Amino acid sequence: MSTVKAASPLSPPSRLRRRADPVKITSFITLIITTFLMLLPLFFMVSTSLKSKREMLKFPPTFLPESWAWSNYTDIFETLQFGTLYKNSLIIAGLSVFGTLLSSALVAYGFARYRGRGNNFWFILLLSTMMLPYPAIMIPQFVLFSKMQWIDTFLPLIVPAFFGSAYNIFLLRQFFSTLPEELFDAGRIDGCGELRMWRTIALPLSAPALATVAIFAFIYSWNDLLTPVLYLSSSDKFTLPVGMASLTSSRFRIPPWHLLMVASVLAMVPIVTLFAIAQKQFVEGIVLTGIK
């Protein structure tokens, strides 16, 4: 009669150890190398912002500053009127984000919830405007704003955002279309109008899409150089990209690249801050949309 041996409570070490997956190891190494290559220009920018002008011109360039010139971060405010440029850019970008979210969300809600005659035609016509390059409308738009006496004001940089953007309308319309119709039926039963349902139902459930639109709108307005150069002529109304571009102008025999790197580092702060805030809203939006 054969006896069955009881299984040992301790498995052999070879069974406990999982075999390393070559694909995962290769992907992990590739990710580390790619991350390093992506962060290398950022590190070089921060390092250059802390170098003196003499060290900045040294060849071959040093990887780390030999002497840390923290005074560069105060010199930028004297050389470039950095505080005024920063304030102007924040005002324009903040109002542009507000206008983009307000107008694009309203138009997108109309395209998503109303299925009237000609709805698809007007939506396709709206999307076709994305094929128009900005130089094609730049001159007519400049003539229009000139006759309205808006030149050398912030209005040409802010007001167009309150008329929506085709890409942002498309993005929000696709998201609004996925919301359950039962939610809006319940709102109608409770006596809600369309505007109230847009404000209390559609917008809270669309936090991920709204956060994405806010990031895109802010980055576009914050980094815009052409439009401020086209419409602004007073130095006290210049934005940050215009001021940074002036550092490479002919008034400097040798452009102060170290100050330009300082301005670039400080210019990243609002974008990183907005992304951190929008990322939190994005996670909360996913939780809220779990009802789907």
Side-chain angles (χ1 to χ4, degrees):
M1 180 176 173
S2 61
T3 59
V4 179
K5 294 183 180 181
S8 175
L10 298 177
S11 301
S14 59
R15 295 182 181 179
L16 287 176
R17 296 175 182 172
R18 295 182 179 179
R19 292 183 178 180
D21 190 352
V23 177
K24 290 183 178 180
I25 294 176
T26 304
S27 301
F28 185 71
I29 295 175
T30 305
L31 181 62
I32 293 177
I33 296 175
T34 305
T35 303
F36 175 77
L37 293 177
M38 294 293 291
L39 292 178
L40 187 60
L42 178 63
F43 179 83
F44 184 77
M45 179 179 67
V46 176
S47 175
T48 305
S49 69
L50 294 171
K51 294 179 182 179
S52 63
K53 188 174 183 178
R54 176 175 297 182
E55 185 180 356
M56 178 198 64
L57 300 175
K58 183 181 291 188
F59 186 83
T62 56
F63 195 67
L64 289 174
E66 297 177 354
S67 59
W68 300 79
W70 296 101
S71 60
N72 292 341
Y73 282 82
T74 57
D75 295 341
I76 190 67
F77 287 89
E78 300 174 0
T79 305
L80 200 60
Q81 295 182 345
F82 196 78
T84 302
L85 301 176
Y86 217 85
K87 180 191 67 175
N88 294 340
S89 292
L90 284 176
I91 292 174
I92 295 172
L95 292 177
S96 297
V97 170
F98 175 75
T100 300
L101 290 176
L102 179 64
S103 57
S104 299
L106 275 172
V107 177
Y109 181 81
F111 278 118
R113 308 311 305 176
Y114 293 100
R115 301 297 179 183
R117 188 174 182 179
N119 182 285
N120 292 331
F121 168 77
W122 292 111
F123 185 65
I124 293 174
L125 184 63
L126 173 69
L127 294 182
S128 65
T129 61
M130 298 174 60
M131 294 184 287
L132 288 174
Y134 181 70
I137 63 174
M138 183 172 62
I139 296 178
Q141 198 175 59
F142 181 85
V143 173
L144 174 64
F145 291 148
S146 177
K147 292 188 175 184
M148 297 176 68
Q149 297 182 354
W150 284 6
I151 303 301
D152 200 24
T153 67
F154 291 162
L155 294 177
L157 310 179
I158 298 174
V159 172
F162 285 83
F163 288 88
S165 168
Y167 175 76
N168 295 327
I169 291 173
F170 169 76
L171 181 65
L172 293 175
R173 185 252 189 188
Q174 298 304 108
F175 198 92
F176 287 151
S177 300
T178 63
L179 298 179
E181 185 64 31
E182 292 77 10
L183 292 175
F184 299 94
D185 292 338
R188 295 186 186 97
I189 293 175
D190 290 339
C192 292
E194 290 297 334
L195 188 60
R196 185 178 178 185
M197 286 192 293
W198 168 77
R199 180 172 55 87
T200 60
I201 297 177
L203 290 185
L205 294 178
S206 305
L210 293 174
T212 303
V213 170
I215 291 175
F216 286 162
F218 185 88
I219 292 177
Y220 175 80
S221 178
W222 185 260
N223 294 331
D224 187 19
L225 174 63
L226 176 60
T227 311
V229 168
L230 190 63
Y231 292 108
L232 301 178
S233 57
S234 301
S235 59
D236 60 334
K237 296 177 182 177
F238 284 165
T239 59
L240 193 56
V242 178
M244 293 171 62
S246 67
L247 290 176
T248 60
S249 63
S250 58
R251 67 189 180 102
F252 294 102
R253 188 173 64 88
I254 300 177
W257 297 110
H258 59 304
L259 295 182
L260 185 59
M261 294 299 105
V262 171
S264 301
V265 172
L266 295 177
M268 291 193 312
V269 174
I271 296 178
V272 174
T273 303
L274 178 63
F275 180 78
I277 296 174
Q279 187 180 32
K280 181 180 179 181
Q281 296 297 325
F282 181 80
V283 174
E284 292 178 356
I286 293 177
V287 176
L288 291 175
T289 53
I291 190 174
K292 294 190 298 183

